[in-house]
Amino acid sequence: MSWDLVIARNDLTSHEVRQTALAPLRPGEVRLAVERFGITTVTATYALFGDSPMQFFGVFPGPDGFGRVPVWGFATVAESRSPDVAEGSRYFGYLPMSTHHTVTPEIVPGGFVDSAQQAVPHDWYRTYEIAAPDELDDRRALLHPLFPCSFTLAGYVGQQVAAGVKSVLISSASCKTAIGLADLLSKQDGVSTTGITSGAHKAFVKDLGFYDHVVAYDELGTDAVTDSAFFVDFTNSADRMRAVYQHAGARLTGTVLAGFTHPSESFAPPQLDGPEPQLYFTPAVEQQIMAEVGTDEYRARYRAAEQEFLAGTKSWLVVRNGSGPDAIAESFRTVLAGELSPSVGAVLRP
Ligand SMILES: NC(=O)c1ccc[n+]([C@@H]2O[C@H](COP(=O)([O-])OP(=O)(O)OC[C@H]3O[C@@H](n4cnc5c(N)ncnc54)[C@H](OP(=O)(O)O)[C@@H]3O)[C@@H](O)[C@H]2O)c1
């Protein structure tokens, strides 16, 4: 049996399951059987911006009026007409919420690129990495798409610290990408981190032990920061960002807009009285670092940091598994509504 889970573009809480026929493969094509994937706020972000200029609903086209929301996860090769990709081999990459997905592999070091996928903004999204099974795979399904952002941001913040910044303000401090960043920064000298989060998530964020200080959005003051500060925003919320700008006052040296947990109308940063926020697009930053230090060197450093982070998440992140279209739709709805506890990660199988 094969199916696609499709979401109404005008009501993201409404879904349908569409049975699909497995068309015969053309020469060069490979059919992937989706194994499992994570659903986090990044999934909600893809759906919320599905019809934006980023066109996330164009990646895996759906029937009229419906979108297929992209997810990140593992798949095995169910059928292959590519001489380079063996049946049974396993990959990690960008997938639809479906039982199957057909790709046209072009081999690259460590995996393949889907040469038929033209609707994505960067090779990052059409690259499928070879993935041997591992006991951390549920956590990897959740965090492998997010931790590159944490890892490269830690390096970027390190550069700000070298230039004199003493503290970092991180909003939506309970999101997994922010937690990865805070974990890495907690191992860097000379920088103090402040996590800014909802009142309901404050205790969780404190208990992580990665942030030096934790404040709730409604506890932010005016000119409350005493040392030069850099701001990493994961909210994209004009109101929350404005409150952080008032909190830091003239001490604020710069801002990156890295996430969209409370999205404004567009990807564009809101107008603010202070440093202009810079959009942070991890694939482009990664590419730049690889050009500077070498791809192998970057990947080796990244892999070591990710492995350590994944193992460490056992102390704060509980994986909630589910299977079938109803469980997937329910997890998506919960994440979209912000109802899933930050201490839980949803990993789904079709
Ligand atoms: N720039 C890049 O290249 C890049 C790369 C990876 C991820 N991202 C972005 O980073 C963001 C975080 O993703 P994630 O997967 O790490 O998130 P996550 O772990 O699923 O985040 C959960 C947290 O987000 C906040 N939140 C999300 N939806 C909410 C809602 N409807 N109502 C209230 N709070 C809500 C809450 O944090 P608080 O209460 O603490 O606000 C919640 O604890 C996403 O927008 C994603 O697109 C960007």
Side-chain angles (χ1 to χ4, degrees), residues 2 25 27 30 32 52-53 118-119 140 156 161 209 228 249 251 255 275 311 327:
S2 64
L25 296 181
V30 160
L32 298 174
S52 74
Q118 299 299 323
R140 192 165 275 113
Y156 190 70
V161 172
S228 59
R251 304 286 183 183
T255 299

Side-chain angles (χ1 to χ4, degrees), residues 138-149:
D138 277 340
R139 289 165 197 278
R140 192 165 275 113
L142 289 162
L143 298 162
H144 190 59
L146 306 177
F147 194 66
C149 181

Side-chain angles (χ1 to χ4, degrees), residues 13-181:
T13 62
S14 167
H15 75 278
E16 288 184 16
V17 183
R18 298 285 174 100
Q19 303 302 319
T20 52
L22 295 181
L25 296 181
R26 289 183 290 225
E29 286 185 337
V30 160
R31 187 165 359 257
L32 298 174
V34 177
E35 177 195 296
R36 68 181 117 166
F37 50 82
I39 295 186
T40 73
T41 304
V42 81
T43 324
T45 303
Y46 294 144
L48 289 165
F49 289 103
D51 285 313
S52 74
M54 292 294 280
Q55 278 295 313
F56 290 112
F57 281 143
V59 178
F60 304 114
D64 265 2
F66 290 87
R68 293 164 71 202
V69 182
V71 285
W72 291 93
F74 296 95
T76 46
V77 175
E79 217 182 318
S80 178
R81 291 199 66 193
S82 161
D84 304 317
V85 175
E87 287 177 13
S89 49
R90 187 170 182 265
Y91 292 88
F92 187 95
Y94 211 34
L95 300 164
M97 291 179 174
S98 300
T99 52
H100 296 85
H101 177 52
T102 298
V103 290
T104 306
E106 205 176 280
I107 299 300
V108 295
F112 66 80
V113 163
D114 178 11
S115 61
Q117 178 56 272
Q118 299 299 323
V120 291
H122 194 278
D123 267 355
W124 221 62
Y125 300 87
R126 61 177 140 242
T127 301
Y128 293 78
E129 298 168 68
I130 294 169
D134 183 275
E135 62 109 5
L136 291 170
D137 277 349
D138 277 340
R139 289 165 197 278
R140 192 165 275 113
L142 289 162
L143 298 162
H144 190 59
L146 306 177
F147 194 66
C149 181
S150 319
F151 182 71
T152 55
L153 268 172
Y156 190 70
V157 167
Q159 291 168 10
Q160 309 302 314
V161 172
V165 162
K166 299 278 186 249
S167 72
V168 182
L169 309 168
I170 303 173
S171 60
S172 238
S174 69
C175 77
K176 294 169 195 64
T177 318
I179 294 172
L181 171 61

